[in-house]
Amino acid sequence: MKNVKLVSVGTFLPGQPIGNDKIQERFSVNAEWIELAIGNRSRHLVMDLDTGEINYTLADICNMAAFNAINKAGVDVDDIDFIVMGTATPDSLMPATVNMVAEKLGINNVATYQVQSGCAGAMQAIDMATKFLRLGEYSTGLVIGGDVCAKYIDIERDFSQLSSSELINYALFGDGAGAAVLSNDEHVSGANIVATLNRCEGLYRQPGQELNWLGSRLRDVENVQPLKEDYKAIEEQVPVMAKEVMMEIITNAGWNMEHVNHFMTPQLAGHMTDKIIQLMEVDPAKAVNCVADTGNNGNALPFLQLEMLMDRITDGEKAIGVAIESSKWIKGGIALQA
């Protein structure tokens, strides 16, 4: 089994940061409540909230993130042997968004895979790519994660009439994309991927989050809520699951808690992430945390954390990453050593 390295990470956040005052103006969500209850200060969106114009597709922002990762790795697109992409919000059912990103990058004649998943999709994609590379069939892989909210935003609606389980999402979520280059070339520098974890534990458990495919348009057809969030279930279960993943991935890596220098915890919202860090008994100074400024942008978030980590981690240091998907309770994790 070959050793696999995380060579580089690239990200892309569309547009300028959108503050809570703008969210209050467009969606009738009190800005002070967002700050006090949710803890997010800003987020990025592919949509212009004043005009409703969509400035980027998911493929657009994933292409930019992937280009940044490839450029940082110092490789050529012809060096990429396969692509794995995780997203909960593809641009279309077919063609798969991963293949549109490949076209934008000028990549052809490679294997492509798309994981339909929420926040854990990035970890699932990294897990898949790591397994491929360990077997030695490929030498260089591109892993991508990204999500966009545009399908679930209809700026013409009367937001004062929405249920709290739907309205909360306009405070929580944002758009973004991230990508990483992985390699099993022993001569390439990067952080060693020591262990990964990917497991669904949703048997007989109600989903904590649901997205319908047609987005806000389905409401007009069948009066179905486009996006539903059981925030209380998530608040209760995600911190517990996150600690379980952390301890399992540390054990799988053969480490102890005190060996770990950096922790990438689940990034649900500003205050929720603080609670998770506390429950996981992680030193806040070791936490790699960005959600309060980026919003919860799903599959992009682990890559945003990994990009921050790559700027911080030094030779010999160890890092743990955890992602939890509440839609059907999926655990994801990674252990890295510089």
Side-chain angles (χ1 to χ4, degrees):
M1 300 290 282
K2 289 182 173 289
N3 183 43
V4 180
K5 295 178 182 178
L6 177 70
V7 180
S8 68
V9 183
T11 62
F12 182 80
L13 295 170
Q16 296 298 312
I18 298 170
N20 292 336
D21 288 342
K22 189 66 176 180
I23 297 299
Q24 176 174 299
E25 175 190 330
R26 295 304 297 158
F27 302 122
S28 301
V29 185
N30 183 272
E32 185 177 359
W33 176 83
I34 297 173
E35 181 70 30
L36 293 176
I38 303 299
N40 287 0
R41 294 181 289 268
S42 61
R43 70 286 296 154
H44 295 252
L45 294 171
V46 298
M47 172 185 283
D48 185 320
L49 291 181
D50 291 320
T51 66
E53 181 180 359
I54 307 298
N55 296 315
Y56 302 93
T57 65
L58 176 63
D60 288 335
I61 64 173
C62 287
N63 167 56
M64 294 177 191
F67 176 83
N68 291 337
I70 291 169
N71 188 53
K72 285 183 181 179
V75 300
D76 190 84
V77 291
D78 293 336
D79 297 322
I80 303 298
D81 298 317
F82 68 94
I83 308 172
V84 186
M85 177 175 171
T87 185
T89 56
D91 289 326
S92 60
L93 284 174
M94 292 195 308
T97 304
V98 64
N99 296 321
M100 301 311 296
V101 178
E103 178 160 322
K104 289 176 179 292
L105 290 168
I107 296 175
N108 200 27
N109 295 318
V110 302
T112 59
Y113 307 88
Q114 184 163 301
V115 179
Q116 178 74 23
S117 191
C119 300
M123 291 297 185
Q124 290 173 294
I126 291 173
D127 177 63
M128 285 180 63
T130 300
K131 285 178 167 59
F132 291 154
L133 291 165
R134 288 206 194 286
L135 293 172
E137 182 178 354
Y138 306 113
S139 62
T140 305
L142 175 64
V143 185
I144 305 170
D147 280 299
V148 296
C149 302
K151 190 180 295 183
Y152 301 91
I153 299 176
D154 178 359
I155 62 173
E156 301 301 322
R157 293 203 66 84
D158 181 359
F159 291 94
S160 65
Q161 302 301 310
L162 297 187
S163 66
S164 59
S165 66
E166 185 171 359
L167 203 57
I168 192 174
N169 296 300
Y170 296 98
L172 283 172
F173 292 104
D175 300 339
V181 173
L182 275 60
S183 175
N184 58 22
D185 186 340
E186 62 182 14
H187 302 295
V188 171
S189 61
N192 291 308
I193 299 179
V194 179
T196 58
L197 188 150
N198 169 27
R199 185 167 65 246
C200 176
E201 296 188 357
L203 188 64
Y204 308 129
R205 301 173 71 178
Q206 289 297 312
Q209 186 184 61
E210 298 178 50
L211 296 176
N212 73 62
W213 169 247
L214 290 177
S216 60
R217 287 175 292 170
L218 189 58
R219 190 206 321 265
D220 299 326
V221 178
E222 300 182 17
N223 197 31
V224 174
Q225 186 170 311
L227 196 161
K228 187 186 298 183
E229 185 97 10
D230 188 344
Y231 198 72
K232 289 187 180 298
I234 292 170
E235 190 172 31
E236 291 172 0
Q237 298 185 51
V238 167
V240 175
M241 294 176 69
K243 187 169 184 178
E244 291 171 349
V245 172
M246 179 185 71
M247 299 312 298
E248 183 174 349
I249 200 77
I250 286 175
T251 299
N252 293 346
W255 302 340
N256 295 317
M257 184 79 168
E258 58 269 21
H259 292 160
V260 183
N261 308 98
H262 307 277
F263 292 88
M264 296 172 288
T265 67
Q267 301 279 283
L268 302 179
H271 294 329
M272 176 82 81
T273 297
D274 291 339
K275 291 178 182 178
I276 292 171
I277 291 170
Q278 183 177 16
L279 182 66
M280 292 173 69
E281 300 179 55
V282 167
D283 180 353
K286 293 183 176 182
V288 183
N289 195 349
C290 62
V291 69
D293 295 313
T294 65
N296 184 339
N297 44 30
N299 282 288
L301 261 173
F303 291 100
L304 292 167
Q305 292 175 284
L306 283 168
E307 186 174 50
M308 293 172 66
L309 174 71
M310 295 295 272
D311 288 335
R312 298 181 185 182
I313 197 167
T314 59
D315 286 349
E317 286 191 332
K318 300 176 176 68
I320 293 292
V322 176
I324 305 295
E325 181 180 340
S326 60
S327 70
K328 204 62 173 105
W329 309 108
I330 299 170
K331 291 178 173 179
I334 188 171
L336 296 163
Q337 182 168 5

